[in-house]
Amino acid sequence: MNHTVNPHVSVDCVIFGFDNERLNVLLIERSAGNIPVAVQYALPGDLVWEEESLDDAASRVLKELTNLEGIYLKQFKAFGNPNRVNDFKDLDWLQSYRQQPQARVITVGYYAFIRMDELQPEASSFAEKVFWRDIHEIPLLGFDHNEIVDEAIEVLRNDFDSNKVGFELLPDKFTLSQLQTLYESILDRKLDKRNFRKKVLKESIVVPLDEKQKGVLHKPAQLFELNQ
Amino acid sequence: MNHTVNPHVSVDCVIFGFDNERLNVLLIERSAGNIPVAVQYALPGDLVWEEESLDDAASRVLKELTNLEGIYLKQFKAFGNPNRVNDFKDLDWLQSYRQQPQARVITVGYYAFIRMDELQPEASSFAEKVFWRDIHEIPLLGFDHNEIVDEAIEVLRNDFDSNKVGFELLPDKFTLSQLQTLYESILDRKLDKRNFRKKVLKESIVVPLDEKQKGVLHKPAQLFELNQ
DNA sequence: AAACTTAGTGTAAAATTTACACTAATTGCA
DNA sequence: TGCAATTAGTGTAAATTTTACACTAAGTTT
């Protein structure tokens, strides 16, 4: 497992998860370096290996972090401000964890979708702990990671509008209400139930299953799956 | 004019121009290095300076190439395949023009809009000659530049659909037919004139001027300007 | 004067979007 | 057992947008 690292380019991943109510982002805790400081949060990411593509680097980061493969991944933007590092905590972290802390690093941002219940956290070279956070409650992150998160959400909204992405966030079987809540979470606005159902059924996005919900405190909803 | 160059990151610009009929891309001719080879084409681009942002680097490339400022510019993708350089002509060029030709370079792609008649070609460090080429007639370019062009066009189409960009390609005064042809060029499909006019006038995208075309071989069209 | 060419125009059918209320069917509790 | 609470499922119609279609007007050139 010896790879030559390219110290000038990294990938950071905005990993979205959906808990049937809200959209979440997976964040990591990173160790403080040499200075006593409160816990620090960041996006998962890593430097790119010399022999891997950007996409492969992002896939690797995801695999290391979540132990999942074949995850939906999309590059959304490159970040390369010369003054991305202007907080002493970030500088301290770089000095503890990077071989060339003074190198200017361009970061290519990716967003991804995983099922929250499929997450199997692995010890990785860049994350001690991982946790989910509602997209409306993102804490202060290292470097320019808050900006990266905001941008990813914006791009996701746009992508959703033009080609409906994000179904990977749902379980294999789901109710139309869950689907509606996903749409509403991504678009950040309410949709009318009757109109939503009518539209989704008309567009043949979903296929009804011969199954209903069980053990719910209300009328059991019919289950659907995605129309492949 | 002495800047430290970052040998690991470059920007390439897909510069769109519109000649009232078709969408074009501005390409450069680059010198052959040491080997006798037919003329080579590429996208304009340059390595990023250590103290400049990615956006600033792209602006600089544009300014050097076209002598224009304040150009509409948008980042659309990062390209970083490890084997971007696998043609001997490209390798030869790198060896003649780059200080560290062996360095792996990540390229951040930008697209831009300029008026074709405003182009004032300048001698620049990276282009000997520039020329416009219809987007359907792009020759074989260096490195992965053909892929970069294709991607830019795709992104432009998407961006146009979601937030109508590209009006900068038109002159200050234009006819509705010119506007329609711009739409059709970007979308790559015909639009119905009556419907187009009705829609555009309804959306208040344009403002009618007290002026008509002159010296045309048909009924003179009314001139419009963009509604700021 | 005629030929050629594009500018400018309206109707209406089809499709989509928007807005709105009530009964059905489960679990849990008294 | 009945009730409370809660979400599932449903249709109508008005408003808006999209789609499809043909002919006269007004210049320049021959």
Side-chain angles (χ1 to χ4, degrees):
Chain A
M1 208 53 73
N2 255 346
H3 297 270
T4 312
V5 152
N6 182 324
H8 309 285
V9 187
S10 69
V11 290
D12 280 344
C13 300
V14 181
I15 305 172
F16 291 109
F18 183 63
D19 61 10
N20 281 325
E21 283 185 0
R22 318 171 198 209
L23 210 49
N24 298 273
V25 168
L26 192 63
L27 302 177
I28 62 170
E29 279 183 24
R30 69 183 183 190
S31 312
N34 297 312
I35 58 178
V37 83
V39 72
Q40 300 174 41
Y41 308 116
L43 289 171
D46 200 17
L47 291 171
V48 176
W49 294 340
E50 285 290 12
E51 73 281 2
E52 75 186 345
S53 69
L54 298 175
D55 284 4
D56 288 345
S59 292
R60 173 174 53 83
V61 168
L62 286 188
K63 166 73 175 164
E64 280 193 40
L65 190 67
T66 64
N67 206 25
L68 299 171
E69 293 185 324
I71 294 180
Y72 179 92
L73 247 190
K74 189 182 174 219
Q75 186 198 122
F76 67 92
K77 188 170 176 179
F79 299 83
N81 235 321
N83 58 358
R84 296 179 68 202
V85 184
N86 51 14
D87 183 290
F88 73 91
K89 295 197 299 299
D90 295 332
L91 190 56
D92 176 60
W93 183 87
L94 284 175
Q95 278 161 352
S96 301
Y97 286 88
R98 288 273 163 90
Q99 287 178 21
Q100 297 182 31
Q102 80 294 339
R104 178 183 179 187
V105 179
I106 304 294
T107 292
V108 181
Y110 281 80
Y111 72 75
F113 304 125
I114 69 171
R115 308 250 177 97
M116 282 173 78
D117 56 5
E118 287 185 356
L119 178 66
Q120 304 163 47
E122 296 279 331
S124 71
S125 55
F126 48 77
E128 308 210 346
K129 273 209 228 154
V130 298
F131 62 100
W132 292 102
R133 192 57 78 89
D134 180 335
I135 61 170
H136 296 110
E137 290 162 21
I138 305 289
L140 188 62
L141 307 174
F143 300 104
D144 51 0
H145 288 191
N146 286 88
E147 181 194 341
I148 295 178
V149 172
D150 291 343
E151 196 76 41
I153 293 168
E154 198 59 39
V155 171
L156 170 58
R157 279 202 180 114
N158 249 304
D159 290 348
F160 188 78
D161 265 341
S162 43
N163 1 269
K164 291 296 188 316
V165 295
F167 296 115
E168 293 83 346
L169 294 166
L170 292 166
D172 291 337
K173 306 177 186 182
F174 51 84
T175 68
L176 286 190
S177 287
Q178 285 169 332
L179 184 62
Q180 176 171 350
T181 311
L182 176 66
Y183 275 50
E184 289 170 342
S185 300
I186 294 178
L187 298 174
D188 204 25
R189 61 182 167 89
K190 300 294 299 173
L191 301 170
D192 177 87
K193 180 169 47 167
R194 276 172 294 188
N195 292 330
F196 174 79
R197 294 173 67 92
K198 199 181 336 174
K199 188 170 196 235
V200 155
L201 293 176
K202 180 180 176 188
E203 289 174 345
S204 302
I205 295 175
V206 294
V207 181
L209 295 173
D210 260 340
E211 208 175 328
K212 288 188 192 256
Q213 267 181 327
K214 290 189 184 59
V216 286
L217 295 197
H218 52 74
K219 180 178 177 177
Q222 169 149 28
L223 293 169
F224 292 77
E225 67 183 1
L226 280 178
N227 190 0
Q228 315 288 5
Chain B
M1 204 59 68
N2 255 346
H3 297 271
T4 311
V5 152
N6 183 324
H8 310 285
V9 187
S10 68
V11 291
D12 279 344
C13 300
V14 180
I15 305 172
F16 291 110
F18 182 63
D19 61 10
N20 281 326
E21 283 183 2
R22 314 174 201 209
L23 209 48
N24 298 274
V25 168
L26 193 64
L27 302 177
I28 62 170
E29 279 184 23
R30 69 184 183 190
S31 311
N34 297 310
I35 55 176
V37 83
V39 72
Q40 298 175 44
Y41 307 116
L43 288 172
D46 199 19
L47 291 172
V48 175
W49 294 342
E50 286 289 11
E51 72 281 2
E52 74 184 346
S53 68
L54 298 174
D55 283 5
D56 288 345
S59 290
R60 172 175 54 84
V61 167
L62 285 187
K63 166 71 173 164
E64 282 193 38
L65 190 67
T66 63
N67 206 26
L68 297 171
E69 294 186 324
I71 294 180
Y72 179 92
L73 248 189
K74 190 181 175 221
Q75 187 199 122
F76 67 91
K77 189 171 178 179
F79 299 83
N81 236 320
N83 58 357
R84 296 179 66 204
V85 184
N86 52 15
D87 183 289
F88 73 92
K89 296 196 300 299
D90 295 332
L91 191 55
D92 177 61
W93 182 85
L94 284 175
Q95 280 163 353
S96 301
Y97 286 89
R98 288 273 162 89
Q99 286 178 21
Q100 297 182 30
Q102 79 295 340
R104 178 183 179 185
V105 179
I106 304 294
T107 292
V108 181
Y110 281 78
Y111 74 77
F113 304 125
I114 70 168
R115 308 251 179 98
M116 284 173 76
D117 56 5
E118 286 185 356
L119 177 64
Q120 304 165 47
E122 295 279 331
S124 71
S125 55
F126 49 76
E128 307 210 346
K129 272 207 224 151
V130 299
F131 62 100
W132 293 102
R133 191 58 76 88
D134 181 335
I135 61 170
H136 297 108
E137 289 163 23
I138 305 289
L140 189 61
L141 307 175
F143 301 102
D144 52 359
H145 287 192
N146 286 88
E147 181 194 342
I148 295 178
V149 172
D150 291 342
E151 196 77 41
I153 294 170
E154 199 60 37
V155 171
L156 170 59
R157 280 201 179 116
N158 250 304
D159 290 349
F160 189 78
D161 267 340
S162 43
N163 1 269
K164 290 297 192 310
V165 295
F167 296 116
E168 293 84 346
L169 294 166
L170 291 166
D172 290 338
K173 305 176 184 184
F174 51 85
T175 67
L176 287 190
S177 288
Q178 285 168 334
L179 184 62
Q180 178 173 347
T181 310
L182 177 65
Y183 274 52
E184 290 170 342
S185 298
I186 294 178
L187 298 175
D188 204 25
R189 63 184 166 89
K190 299 295 301 175
L191 300 170
D192 177 85
K193 180 170 50 168
R194 279 171 293 187
N195 293 329
F196 175 80
R197 295 173 66 94
K198 201 182 333 171
K199 187 166 196 235
V200 154
L201 294 177
K202 180 180 175 186
E203 291 174 346
S204 302
I205 295 176
V206 294
V207 181
L209 294 174
D210 258 342
E211 211 173 326
K212 287 186 190 256
Q213 268 182 326
K214 291 188 183 58
V216 287
L217 295 196
H218 52 75
K219 180 179 175 176
Q222 169 150 27
L223 293 168
F224 291 79
E225 69 183 0
L226 280 178
N227 191 357
Q228 312 289 8

